[in-house]
Amino acid sequence: GYQAMINIYIIDDHPLVAGGIAMMLKDVAYVNITGTATTANEAATYLKDNKPEIILLDISLPDMDGLQLCDIIRKENKYSKIIGLTSANESSIITQLLHRGANGYLLKNMERKELLEAIDKVMDGKIFLSQAANEKVLEHFSSLSSALNEMPAITRREKEILLFLEDGLNGPQIAARLFISPYTVETHRKNLMQKLNASSTQQLLKTAKKLSMI
């Protein structure tokens, strides 16, 4: 059927990445790369006057964190679909990106098929996660929606206990620091393990780190 032209803007400080994406898309009739930026600053200037259908946004830019840039773009522009580009496959970055209003996430070593699928999906109003990213998120969350909605809420007390556990303190030592009973510490630890779906203190700390809680 008829497809309107999809304009794509690439923000990435590696010419190779932008070049690779341009190569992948060059024979796709309905896609047009309107430009590329190598810094957040350059991108912000261009995006003041232009609203491409899709923005491919490198998460690690030289002059600003890509997550911050995502915030800035979203404040002014609800229209463009933003797909994060990254070489790191980390669930905390993926969820932070989506929290900031991005529409998808691609790893830089993506296949052409995946890039085209991402374009279709986000233009369709859906969230696109690369296969690898999806598996990564699902290691930690039962599903993407639970990742976004149920970033486990932990109490201030639980957070304190997490930090003490990270420092290597045991239950009785934490109890002494916080002037509470070891039994209470143990209850908090059990609650934390349940909330973060962990079966050991070690796993608990690993997941808490991944979720940027500690």
Side-chain angles (χ1 to χ4, degrees), residues 18 21 26 52 73 84-85 88-89 93 116 120 123 127 134 138 143 157 167 169 177 186-187 197 203 205:
I21 292 170
K26 75 174 197 317
I73 297 171
L85 282 182
N89 187 10
I93 293 182
L116 290 173
D120 281 349
M123 289 307 293
I127 294 262
N134 218 339
L138 295 182
S143 72
R157 179 61 96 197
D167 286 340
L169 274 64
R177 289 276 178 100
E186 191 47 29
T187 307
N197 203 353
Q203 197 189 352
L205 292 171

Side-chain angles (χ1 to χ4, degrees), residues 1-204:
Y2 166 76
Q3 258 176 307
M5 185 57 83
I6 298 171
N7 290 311
I8 297 186
Y9 185 65
I10 304 172
I11 308 170
D12 195 299
D13 62 327
H14 297 99
L16 275 177
V17 174
I21 292 170
M23 277 300 293
M24 284 182 190
L25 296 175
K26 75 174 197 317
D27 58 345
V28 182
Y30 59 89
V31 170
N32 171 36
I33 294 179
T34 56
T36 56
T38 52
T39 65
N41 203 357
E42 189 186 339
T45 306
Y46 174 87
L47 293 169
K48 273 200 178 72
D49 306 314
N50 298 280
K51 286 192 165 50
E53 276 71 34
I54 294 181
I55 298 168
L56 295 175
L57 166 62
D58 180 12
I59 301 308
S60 45
L61 292 166
D63 55 339
M64 184 192 286
D65 181 328
L67 292 168
Q68 263 178 297
L69 181 57
C70 189
D71 274 341
I72 291 170
I73 297 171
R74 265 295 165 254
K75 274 203 186 72
E76 318 256 299
N77 173 349
K78 306 277 181 268
Y79 170 77
S80 298
K81 307 291 185 191
I82 300 174
I83 300 176
L85 282 182
T86 166
S87 40
N89 187 10
E90 290 172 38
S91 59
S92 66
I93 293 182
I94 303 170
T95 44
Q96 285 179 60
L97 238 182
L98 299 175
H99 270 301
R100 286 174 156 83
N103 306 88
Y105 184 94
L106 275 168
L107 295 176
K108 290 184 182 183
N109 59 2
M110 63 191 145
E111 305 278 322
R112 176 174 187 273
K113 184 165 106 350
E114 206 167 28
L115 175 60
L116 290 173
E117 192 190 336
I119 292 170
D120 281 349
K121 266 244 170 91
V122 301
M123 289 307 293
D124 231 6
K126 299 191 178 79
I127 294 262
F128 178 85
L129 284 191
S130 77
Q131 187 60 40
N134 218 339
E135 282 164 15
K136 192 77 177 184
V137 170
L138 295 182
E139 281 172 27
H140 301 289
F141 303 103
S142 52
S143 72
L144 180 62
S145 61
S146 73
L148 290 178
N149 303 331
E150 297 166 25
M151 182 77 166
I154 63 171
T155 64
R156 223 173 75 205
R157 179 61 96 197
E158 286 170 342
K159 170 109 188 207
E160 285 178 320
I161 288 173
L162 257 182
L163 292 168
F164 281 130
L165 288 169
E166 194 198 9
D167 286 340
L169 274 64
N170 66 21
Q173 291 169 320
I174 296 173
R177 289 276 178 100
L178 295 175
F179 304 105
I180 54 181
S181 75
Y183 172 78
T184 307
V185 173
E186 191 47 29
T187 307
H188 285 308
R189 193 181 68 93
K190 284 212 173 92
N191 289 343
L192 276 165
M193 281 167 63
Q194 200 183 343
K195 285 182 182 180
L196 273 68
N197 203 353
S199 50
S200 68
T201 301
Q202 213 175 353
Q203 197 189 352
L204 172 68

